[in-house]
Amino acid sequence: MQTQEHEPAELQAAEETPGKSHGLRWLIIAVVLIAALAFVKITYFPSPNADVKGGGKGAAGGGKGAPGGKSGGGGGLPVQVYVVKPTNLSDEVAATGSILADESVVIKSELSGKITSLNIKEGQPVSKGQLLFSINADEAQAAIRKQQYNIKLFRDQEKRQRTLLDKEYISAQEYEQSNNQLLTAQSDLKALQASLDRAYVRAPFSGVLGLTTATVGTYVSPGSEITTLSRVRPVKIDFAVPGRFATKVRVGDVVSITDEGTNKKYEAKVYAIDPQIDPVSRTQPVRARYANTNNELRPGAFVKVNLQLGESTDALQVPTEAVIPEASGYSVYTVKDGKMVPKKIKIGIRSDKVIQITDGLAVGDSVIRTGILQVKPGDAVKATK
């Protein structure tokens, strides 16, 4: 009878136990999963900003002598730095230039008519004043002869009128009219002679003739191009330097030029500087001259120009990859007290490897050159040279 009384209680306990054990099992699984995720996060994905003060037991190699100790600051992102120091720097400006003839002109006709003589040997040198070609001038010559006859007539009339004026047979006004006819005719004769001179085209300076399509008998009109004349000894080199270097360029400076076609180098000398900076390109036009004794350089050729503006022994330079271009200028990331600190800078001369810093850095500053994209201001970093 007693056994029958206890059976309902035992059955009730047996029914409640499975429910409790099921909930406890899920709780244990959840705790284990959370602990596992935390372990994986700490072990394989450490925070780059973690600042482990003594290295600790969990730090890699975190004993007292490990980099994570007090002197190591080893919890930061590893970056390579460049320590700024004074360096030698040649102030050199690289530019592109064009070769120009010392003097160059297009020979044109000033009159209408047929070419009666042609003394143009293409590509050959000529001397100043040498006749190049002439145009039919029969009409001009006839007009000159006619005017010469008129002048003889007017001169005789003026002589007779003067005699009559001396004897007071005519008035002074009548004599002045006769004299004016003579003076006008003489002026007309000079105009005709100038027109005749334009029929004979001569070289304005010594140089080399270009190509031509004209032949004897070709009819030309005013402005018709006949050939070109160029003086190519010496030649000019036109180039421009950035406006910030305008005050450093001087007449007499020697420039090194490299012919793009032959890759040969020559030395020219600056002889003229434009007084104005180009408002569009913000560059200073400069012109140099090269003797070109052996016709090494041809007008129209493209050349590279290097201009030495001096040498500095205390210039501050940093690797090119350390400089960050921004909308408002340039900046670099530096390391101070184990943390990244950005600094605004101004740059000067640059090459493919280094850039001169004219403002913003001092000797001894540590500039980050790797890992720039992974850090932000205030992040802890571990610097290596």
Side-chain angles (χ1 to χ4, degrees):
M1 295 296 293
Q2 291 178 352
T3 302
Q4 291 178 356
E5 290 178 359
H6 289 287
E7 282 181 357
E10 291 175 358
L11 291 172
Q12 183 179 2
E15 290 177 357
E16 292 178 358
T17 299
K20 290 182 179 181
S21 62
H22 182 73
L24 182 60
R25 188 183 308 120
W26 280 110
L27 178 61
I28 294 172
I29 291 173
V31 172
V32 171
L33 285 176
I34 292 173
L37 290 174
F39 176 77
V40 172
K41 172 65 173 64
I42 295 173
T43 304
Y44 298 101
F45 301 97
S47 172
N49 300 330
D51 188 9
V52 183
K53 280 189 175 180
K57 292 181 181 180
K64 291 183 178 180
K70 289 183 178 180
S71 60
L77 178 70
V79 294
Q80 290 184 353
V81 298
Y82 173 83
V83 180
V84 179
K85 58 186 177 182
T87 57
N88 292 330
L89 174 64
S90 294
D91 259 353
E92 184 178 275
V93 178
T96 56
S98 298
I99 303 297
L100 304 176
D102 187 49
E103 298 288 346
S104 182
V105 65
V106 177
I107 304 298
K108 299 181 179 181
S109 171
E110 296 184 66
L111 300 176
S112 297
K114 290 183 180 180
I115 295 177
T116 56
S117 67
L118 190 65
N119 190 30
I120 295 176
K121 296 181 180 179
E122 298 171 312
Q124 298 300 311
V126 294
S127 301
K128 180 179 180 180
Q130 182 174 326
L131 180 65
L132 300 179
F133 67 94
S134 61
I135 297 175
N136 185 2
D138 291 345
E139 291 184 3
Q141 290 174 343
I144 288 175
R145 285 194 295 271
K146 178 182 178 180
Q147 194 64 18
Q148 288 173 340
Y149 295 145
N150 288 336
I151 289 175
K152 185 178 181 299
L153 175 63
F154 293 147
R155 185 176 289 114
D156 292 341
Q157 289 179 352
E158 185 271 338
K159 185 177 181 180
R160 288 193 297 268
Q161 293 292 80
R162 190 190 315 147
T163 301
L164 293 175
L165 179 64
D166 291 342
K167 294 180 180 181
E168 297 183 353
Y169 290 157
I170 60 173
S171 65
Q173 182 179 359
E174 290 176 307
Y175 168 76
E176 289 174 357
Q177 289 177 347
S178 177
N179 187 53
N180 183 63
Q181 283 182 327
L182 174 61
L183 297 176
T184 302
Q186 290 174 337
S187 297
D188 290 342
L189 178 61
K190 289 183 178 179
L192 290 172
Q193 288 174 335
S195 178
L196 179 62
D197 290 341
R198 291 198 295 271
Y200 301 92
V201 179
R202 302 179 183 276
F205 52 82
S206 297
V208 180
L209 293 172
L211 305 181
T212 182
T213 57
T215 60
V216 174
T218 300
Y219 183 86
V220 295
S221 57
S224 297
E225 296 184 5
I226 307 301
T227 187
T228 59
L229 178 64
S230 304
R231 182 160 60 208
V232 294
R233 299 179 185 175
V235 291
K236 302 172 182 176
I237 299 95
D238 258 5
F239 63 98
V241 300
R244 65 178 180 273
F245 299 117
T247 58
K248 296 184 178 181
V249 183
R250 298 285 185 272
V251 172
D253 286 348
V254 176
V255 298
S256 174
I257 56 177
T258 304
D259 186 359
E260 185 73 5
T262 63
N263 209 33
K264 292 183 178 180
K265 293 186 177 181
Y266 308 92
E267 285 191 351
K269 186 174 290 187
V270 174
Y271 77 92
I273 301 172
D274 197 298
Q276 297 184 4
I277 292 178
D278 189 319
V280 177
S281 62
R282 303 299 179 187
T283 57
Q284 175 73 66
V286 182
R287 185 168 285 178
R289 183 181 280 120
Y290 174 67
N292 204 35
T293 306
N294 299 318
N295 293 331
E296 304 98 318
L297 300 175
R298 295 296 182 96
F302 173 80
V303 293
K304 295 179 181 178
V305 181
N306 286 289
L307 175 61
Q308 297 285 344
L309 300 177
E311 187 170 350
S312 175
T313 58
D314 57 354
L316 303 183
Q317 300 182 90
V318 299
T320 303
E321 65 270 17
V323 177
I324 305 167
E326 298 177 341
S328 59
Y330 298 88
S331 66
V332 294
Y333 291 167
T334 62
V335 177
K336 187 175 182 181
D337 298 331
K339 295 184 178 181
M340 189 279 272
V341 178
K343 281 192 175 182
K344 293 283 187 180
I345 59 169
K346 293 182 179 179
I347 67 171
I349 300 173
R350 63 186 303 165
S351 68
D352 57 340
K353 294 183 179 180
V354 293
I355 298 178
Q356 180 192 16
I357 306 301
T358 59
D359 187 39
L361 290 179
V363 175
D365 286 347
S366 296
V367 178
I368 298 176
R369 59 187 303 181
T370 63
I372 292 176
L373 298 178
Q374 284 74 38
V375 293
K376 60 182 182 292
D379 281 356
V381 293
K382 179 184 176 183
T384 60
K385 294 183 182 179

